[in-house]
Amino acid sequence: MGQGLWRVARNQQLQHQGYSGQGYLPREHGRRIATNNVPSTSNRKQTQGGIDIYHLLKTRKSKEQEGFINLEMLPPELSFTILSYLNATDLCLASCVWQDLANDELLWQGLCKSTWGHCSIYNKNPPLGFSFRKLYMQLDEGSLTFNANPDEGVNYFMSKGILDDSPKEIAKFIFCTRTLNWKKLRIYLDERRDVLDDLVTLHNFRNQFLPNALREFFRHIHAPEERGEYLETLITKFSHRFCACNPDLMRELGLSPDAVYVLCYSLILLSIDLTSPHVKNKMSKREFIRNTRRAAQNISEDFVGHLYDNIYLIGHVAA
């Protein structure tokens, strides 16, 4: 806008000094040319090589009066594409102006499935009066309830017909949802080991490097803050799942679930050692290789060295 005002002021100065397409003219000479050659204001046209300030200001004013584009005047496909970039709050506000467009079921269906990737109700025939906008409000309400009390949140989803009373369905819902508080989720999974078992089987660690697979696992199932029975259970389940996803690699490296269990604990301890500011004397690569091979003798030195490099360069496996 500052550049536009500068141009207007500059053009006015040029007119005041008598600028023509051929260059600067004396003021009186320019005034005589303007009197003889320029028609009345109502019929003014832009002369070749000249600058018409009136036309520029008129065009600018007409653009300012246009305001926002009316989405109802656009093709429906383009209007829906524009509205699909809005979140739920902005889409509700847009419905105050474009009610038919912003309340479209496809838009609210996309919002539901992008936030809650799996719900049992998605695979059922919708009941009478069903709407994805109403479902979005129920899913949001249920998530808030879960983050306050996990058991009440799951019961809310079941009472609304959103989730079936099945560990596998609950596990799929948790796996595909990112709105649940991880601390409350950790407490819930510690109490519901049947849901935890199904949640572990949803992970696919095929052809993944062990530290990267462990990071992905702890992104979905957060590790406890202290060592204990729950952490041991998580590492045990991860070790068996990792071996099940990579049978050829396990045979090639000569690893068993017990050996992977030892490696996982070694990686967690190494992560703490290298990332904690309270540890002054960091473990060296040679020390890590020696300690790890002492616990799992069948592991090659090169493989253990790659594990150390991964933690050193990327960071904690359970951060």
Side-chain angles (χ1 to χ4, degrees):
M1 182 176 179
Q3 292 181 353
L5 294 176
W6 181 86
R7 292 192 186 98
V8 172
R10 179 60 178 161
N11 291 334
Q12 290 177 343
Q13 181 182 5
L14 293 178
Q15 280 196 343
H16 181 69
Q17 294 177 350
Y19 178 83
S20 70
Q22 291 75 25
Y24 287 99
L25 298 175
R27 181 176 299 179
E28 294 299 329
H29 189 192
R31 192 176 293 146
R32 286 196 299 270
I33 292 177
T35 304
N36 296 331
N37 296 336
V38 179
S40 62
T41 304
S42 60
N43 297 324
R44 177 178 294 178
K45 303 292 184 180
Q46 182 176 355
T47 59
Q48 184 177 4
I51 302 175
D52 193 336
I53 302 301
Y54 172 79
H55 177 71
L56 292 175
L57 292 176
K58 184 177 180 181
T59 303
R60 183 182 182 86
K61 184 177 180 181
S62 62
K63 288 184 178 180
E64 291 175 351
Q65 291 175 346
E66 288 177 1
F68 291 103
I69 298 175
N70 187 357
L71 296 182
E72 295 178 346
M73 304 300 294
L74 299 176
E77 296 83 0
L78 182 57
S79 301
F80 289 139
T81 301
I82 295 173
L83 292 175
S84 66
Y85 288 96
L86 302 181
N87 57 31
T89 302
D90 293 337
L91 196 57
C92 289
L93 294 175
S95 66
C96 299
V97 181
W98 303 291
Q99 185 173 0
D100 294 336
L101 290 174
N103 288 330
D104 188 85
E105 282 291 279
L106 289 177
L107 291 175
W108 287 98
Q109 180 181 358
L111 279 176
C112 288
K113 293 188 175 182
S114 63
T115 308
W116 299 274
H118 175 83
C119 294
S120 303
I121 197 172
Y122 292 160
N123 302 320
K124 298 179 180 179
N125 293 325
L128 186 65
F130 172 82
S131 73
F132 277 99
R133 178 172 181 171
K134 180 180 178 182
L135 177 62
Y136 184 95
M137 305 304 173
Q138 291 175 340
L139 285 168
D140 188 58
E141 179 68 23
S143 298
L144 294 175
T145 304
F146 183 96
N147 293 338
N149 188 309
D151 291 327
E152 291 183 5
V154 173
N155 291 334
Y156 176 88
F157 290 130
M158 294 178 181
S159 66
K160 299 298 182 181
I162 297 174
L163 279 181
D164 293 340
D165 189 3
S166 164
K168 183 174 293 185
E169 287 297 302
I170 299 174
K172 288 181 180 179
F173 175 80
I174 293 173
F175 186 78
C176 300
T177 301
R178 298 294 178 268
T179 60
L180 304 180
N181 182 275
W182 64 271
K183 292 184 178 180
K184 297 294 184 179
L185 183 59
R186 186 174 61 192
I187 296 173
Y188 180 77
L189 293 176
D190 190 12
E191 297 174 353
R192 292 291 305 269
R193 298 298 176 90
D194 54 344
V195 176
L196 177 61
D197 291 338
D198 287 314
L199 185 59
V200 172
T201 59
L202 293 175
H203 291 81
N204 184 10
F205 302 123
R206 183 171 178 80
N207 295 329
Q208 291 191 27
F209 194 37
L210 180 60
N212 297 333
L214 197 57
R215 288 189 186 94
E216 180 183 336
F217 180 75
F218 283 133
R219 273 197 294 267
H220 288 93
I221 307 173
H222 293 272
E225 297 177 354
E226 299 178 355
R227 300 184 196 178
E229 186 269 339
Y230 181 57
L231 178 60
E232 295 178 1
T233 300
L234 291 181
I235 297 178
T236 302
K237 293 182 181 298
F238 168 81
S239 301
H240 284 84
R241 182 59 182 169
F242 184 83
C243 292
C245 293
N246 299 280
D248 297 336
L249 179 64
M250 296 301 102
R251 285 193 297 268
E252 179 183 348
L253 297 177
L255 296 178
S256 64
D258 291 337
V260 175
Y261 178 92
V262 172
L263 290 178
C264 290
Y265 252 115
S266 299
L267 291 173
I268 293 175
L269 295 177
L270 178 63
S271 299
I272 297 173
D273 185 273
L274 295 182
T275 60
S276 175
H278 303 292
V279 180
K280 295 182 179 180
N281 297 322
K282 306 295 184 182
M283 183 181 297
S284 67
K285 186 175 182 178
R286 181 176 298 178
E287 290 174 334
F288 178 74
I289 294 174
R290 183 179 63 250
N291 295 337
T292 303
R293 295 195 67 193
R294 187 180 301 167
Q297 299 177 359
N298 294 331
I299 303 175
S300 67
E301 182 175 333
D302 290 339
F303 181 74
V304 180
H306 292 322
L307 295 178
Y308 182 93
D309 294 337
N310 184 279
I311 304 300
Y312 184 83
L313 295 174
I314 299 179
H316 207 300
V317 292

